[in-house]
Amino acid sequence: MISVADALAAVLKLGSPVDVELVPLIDADGRVLAQDVAATRDQPPFSASAMDGYAISTVDVAAGDTFTVIGEAAAGHRFDGKIDDGQAVRIFTGAPMPAGAQRVIIQEDVTRAGSSMTLRENIDKGHHIRPSGGDFKVGDLLTAPRRLSPSDVALLASMNVAQVPVRRRPVVAIIATGDELVSPGETPRDDQIIASNSLGLAAMFRRAGAQTRLLPIAKDTASSLEMDLSLAEGADLLVTIGGASVGDHDIVAEVAGTLGLERDFYKVAMRPGKPLMAGRIGKMAMIGLPGNPVSSMVCGELFIRPLLDHFLGLPAGPRARISLPLAQPLDANSQREHYMRAIIEDGAVRAFDRQDSSLLTVLAEANALIVRPPNDPARAAGERIEVIAL
């Protein structure tokens, strides 16, 4: 068995950043920006009013000062004249500042009578002008790599960027194996179960930015598995679920070997997830996950999500950890690194009592994994421990 750190290092070597493609800005949310993008205009492109009020040509004013209103400026409708001393232009938020304007008096601080505007007592001291280029200027960059957020999309739009260079979505083919499995919605025999891992992993991978191909469930025969493996051709990553252990019916490594699998490792010193396999078939990376539901999902979090980050050109490595106090004590750990399903509440973390790798109800309730190093001693309540937030 190899360590979790060595296994992750080997997994990351199986991939490299995928190609770049241009997508319309409307489709860019959640995609990974592959190249720096430069603004094509200043924002705002002109000095603009930050408030509704009156633009005047001086900054020095006093209560009782009176101005003659000579026009109006609104967003999208510039006042084309020039403001002189004693004059004002009615202006609205976002409108270009007229020539000669030095300040905006907010509308709450004036009294208006026809074309005459008089300042009240205790006027606001702000000038309320957004300077040209105050947000960004032509040539300013949105830097890559980054997973684009809705705020990034809004920024790119204001930069007048309509097509965005992003990494294409890496394609992940998923094969669940086992005579005991049927797809959701089917009627299982009394000796069968519903295939859940493949659906959960597909959802995880899509959230991480991948395109998924859910292939038919492979039976415990070489011919069935060979057919599924042929359907995976062209994917960036093949993920198999089950059939990677040492039982008589665990044939994934054997069948994949006949198709050219170059296996990097098999078995990791961790729980859940010991029977993990990784390697390459031709140009396609391959990871064989254990069949237990929690084991496969935890391994997906720890190994496949970082690999997908690597495919997408993002910084890739171990999942980020935080330090939190324990809400309850923990017994000593065994010789394998343990990822305990846990819940973070009120600033502390508590491991669930039941840690069996078949319990999806526990995983669904968990929002964290407590990381126990090999041979970690017993821990008391209040001690700080490393945690991966889910």
Side-chain angles (χ1 to χ4, degrees):
M1 289 189 291
I2 66 173
S3 69
V4 172
D6 288 344
L8 178 57
V11 165
L12 292 178
K13 290 179 181 178
L14 296 175
S16 58
V18 296
D19 300 333
V20 178
E21 62 183 9
L22 286 174
V23 299
L25 182 59
I26 189 66
D27 297 325
D29 178 44
R31 302 296 297 272
V32 174
L33 188 68
Q35 300 164 357
D36 295 349
V37 176
T40 63
R41 68 200 311 261
D42 294 344
Q43 179 65 17
F46 42 76
S47 293
S49 176
M51 300 288 284
D52 293 344
Y54 293 84
I56 59 177
S57 64
T58 181
V59 297
D60 297 320
V61 293
D65 288 352
T66 299
F67 300 82
T68 300
V69 181
I70 61 172
E72 183 176 289
H77 299 279
R78 180 189 296 275
F79 176 76
D80 289 327
K82 180 178 182 297
I83 300 179
D84 292 323
D85 292 345
Q87 296 179 332
V89 167
R90 178 72 166 116
I91 196 165
F92 297 92
T93 303
M97 293 295 292
Q102 299 295 317
R103 180 175 180 173
V104 173
I105 305 296
I106 63 174
Q107 61 189 15
E108 293 84 356
D109 288 347
V110 309
T111 300
R112 176 80 182 267
S115 62
S116 178
M117 180 271 287
T118 302
L119 304 188
R120 295 177 176 174
E121 298 285 342
N122 301 316
I123 64 173
D124 185 272
K125 298 183 184 301
H127 292 181
H128 305 298
I129 297 174
R130 295 172 179 156
S132 174
D135 193 0
F136 58 81
K137 297 182 181 298
V138 171
D140 284 354
L141 299 177
L142 183 67
T143 57
R146 65 196 299 144
R147 197 180 298 275
L148 294 171
S149 67
S151 297
D152 292 327
V153 171
L155 177 56
L156 288 167
S158 65
M159 288 177 161
N160 201 24
V161 175
Q163 298 285 323
V164 187
V166 298
R167 296 285 176 187
R168 69 166 174 82
R169 297 185 189 276
V171 178
V172 183
I174 303 172
I175 302 174
T177 69
D179 290 344
E180 75 278 16
L181 300 178
V182 297
S183 296
E186 296 182 9
T187 302
R189 300 191 310 262
D190 59 6
D191 59 353
Q192 290 183 307
I193 59 174
I194 307 298
S196 59
N197 307 4
S198 50
L199 276 296
L201 289 165
M204 178 191 296
F205 302 159
R206 284 194 295 270
R207 286 195 175 195
Q211 176 185 340
T212 58
R213 288 162 44 189
L214 205 58
L215 300 182
I217 295 171
K219 300 302 181 182
D220 288 325
T221 64
S223 59
S224 178
L225 185 54
E226 285 172 357
M227 182 191 72
D228 263 21
L229 291 174
S230 69
L231 294 175
E233 185 176 354
D236 298 292
L237 171 63
L238 167 64
V239 174
T240 61
I241 306 166
S245 190
V246 294
D248 292 341
H249 299 284
D250 296 326
I251 60 173
V252 169
E254 177 185 344
V255 174
T258 66
L259 300 177
L261 171 66
E262 298 174 3
R263 192 167 71 181
D264 283 352
F265 66 84
Y266 165 56
K267 292 187 181 179
V268 181
M270 63 180 291
R271 58 179 177 142
K274 175 184 172 183
L276 182 76
M277 176 181 68
R280 178 178 293 281
I281 300 178
K283 295 181 179 180
M284 181 170 57
M286 177 179 175
I287 296 179
L289 297 178
N292 276 325
V294 175
S295 300
S296 66
M297 294 294 286
V298 169
C299 287
E301 289 280 349
L302 299 181
F303 298 103
I304 299 179
R305 281 191 57 183
L307 178 57
L308 292 176
D309 284 344
H310 189 40
F311 277 127
L312 290 165
L314 293 167
R319 293 292 307 278
R321 300 180 183 185
I322 56 177
S323 174
L324 288 175
L326 280 169
Q328 295 178 352
L330 291 175
D331 293 336
N333 189 31
S334 68
Q335 70 274 16
R336 285 190 281 157
E337 198 163 314
H338 193 185
Y339 292 82
M340 305 182 73
R341 278 69 71 202
I343 188 164
I344 299 172
E345 293 177 318
D346 301 324
V349 63
R350 171 178 60 84
F352 288 100
D353 293 333
R354 299 192 301 164
Q355 292 290 323
D356 188 280
S357 59
S358 68
L359 300 177
L360 278 174
T361 52
V362 174
L363 184 63
E365 190 176 350
N367 62 10
L369 297 172
I370 290 175
V371 184
R372 304 291 306 279
N375 303 309
D376 192 41
R379 299 297 193 101
E383 282 193 67
R384 301 190 76 84
I385 201 159
E386 288 195 325
V387 175
I388 296 172
L390 297 177

